[in-house]
Amino acid sequence: QQTILGPVWFVIQPLIATGAFTIVFGHGLGTSTDALPPFLFYQCGMLVWSFFATIFSAAGNTFQTNAGVFTKVYFPRLVVPLAVAIGSLVPLALQMIVFLGFYAPAFAGARAWEPNGVFLALLPLLLLQTGLFALGLSLLNSGLSAKYRDLQHALPFLLQVGLFVTPVIYPLSQLGGVARWLAGLNPLAFPVEAFRRAFFGVATLTPGLVLTSLAGTVFVLLAGLLAFQRAERTFADTV
């Protein structure tokens, strides 16, 4: 109610970002896209990033956003960020449909790439990892910002920086040496590259990248759960 486009915003925003990346980085700066069409290259990366960003931006300040409810009604507080994570599958599905709408004609017309069946089958697990990492960061930020209130202002900044340290607008193959090693420490690097391997058969994937990504996801999730549970016990006393 009282909206112009409603859920269509979940589709328009990634498309506008993808178009901007294509113009600025793909054509203007000539950034490598591993010989893939720039628009599809960026759009594929944005599937993972948008899913992550939707969860993190909506659940990253759980205690502040729901303070009025938390102080009046008791229920497991973890339900809120979990509901956000599950609900984020809806905009992801819409964005996936739009992506396939661009991908299918290009694939049928050119056949310049070969999808990887193994990674296509792993897409649900890749999304699960992305969702768990986003949930862990959300819980960690929520738990810390419940005590240190000024940290809630860091969330938009973290999202802006995160987009550029995640291989969404560039492939890992463009980086070398220390830069690639540092980029590989980002748990989102593996899902983004794996999505491109699934649809295009092109990506930079190593066992070290996979293990680092999974270990980072587990660490952040556990740290987030601990921080969230600690804040849950004391939040009502600090409101």
Side-chain angles (χ1 to χ4, degrees):
Q1 293 180 348
Q2 296 181 332
T3 61
I4 299 176
L5 298 176
V8 178
W9 284 112
F10 291 116
V11 175
I12 292 178
Q13 290 177 340
L15 279 179
I16 293 175
T18 300
F21 294 155
T22 302
I23 295 172
V24 176
F25 295 101
H27 299 300
L29 299 178
T31 305
S32 171
T33 58
D34 280 344
L36 299 175
F39 188 84
L40 289 176
F41 176 88
Y42 299 129
Q43 194 177 21
C44 186
M46 284 297 293
L47 287 175
V48 178
W49 174 256
S50 295
F51 181 51
F52 164 81
T54 299
I55 297 174
F56 188 46
S57 60
N61 286 320
T62 297
F63 288 106
Q64 285 75 18
T65 305
N66 300 277
V69 177
F70 286 173
T71 55
K72 296 177 182 178
V73 181
Y74 176 78
F75 60 92
R77 312 309 190 197
L78 192 59
V79 169
V80 175
L82 281 175
V84 170
I86 296 173
S88 298
L89 291 171
V90 176
L92 173 66
L94 294 175
Q95 293 162 12
M96 181 69 75
I97 292 172
V98 174
F99 169 72
L100 293 176
F102 286 96
Y103 173 84
F107 174 74
R111 291 191 177 273
W113 53 79
E114 295 183 3
N116 187 298
V118 174
F119 279 87
L120 284 173
L122 291 176
L123 287 182
L125 294 179
L126 295 172
L127 290 175
L128 176 62
Q129 182 200 342
T130 303
L132 290 177
F133 178 62
L135 180 63
L137 274 185
S138 300
L139 297 177
L140 185 60
N141 191 78
S142 294
L144 293 176
S145 61
K147 182 177 182 180
Y148 307 104
R149 300 303 175 84
D150 57 329
L151 288 181
Q152 61 183 306
H153 304 298
L155 196 150
F157 172 74
L158 292 175
L159 283 173
Q160 291 176 357
V161 174
L163 176 60
F164 290 97
V165 300
T166 303
V168 173
I169 56 180
Y170 55 86
L172 278 180
S173 61
Q174 191 178 9
L175 304 178
V178 177
R180 180 180 295 188
W181 180 79
L182 290 174
L185 294 178
N186 180 357
L188 287 179
F190 167 57
V192 171
E193 288 286 321
F195 255 65
R196 292 181 181 134
R197 173 67 64 84
F199 288 104
F200 303 105
V202 177
T204 302
L205 295 173
T206 63
L209 178 67
V210 177
L211 292 176
T212 301
S213 178
L214 295 178
T217 299
V218 172
F219 175 79
V220 169
L221 181 61
L222 292 178
L225 286 171
L226 290 175
F228 192 87
Q229 290 174 352
R230 179 176 297 181
E232 184 179 6
R233 292 192 296 266
T234 60
F235 175 70
D237 299 328
T238 59
V239 173

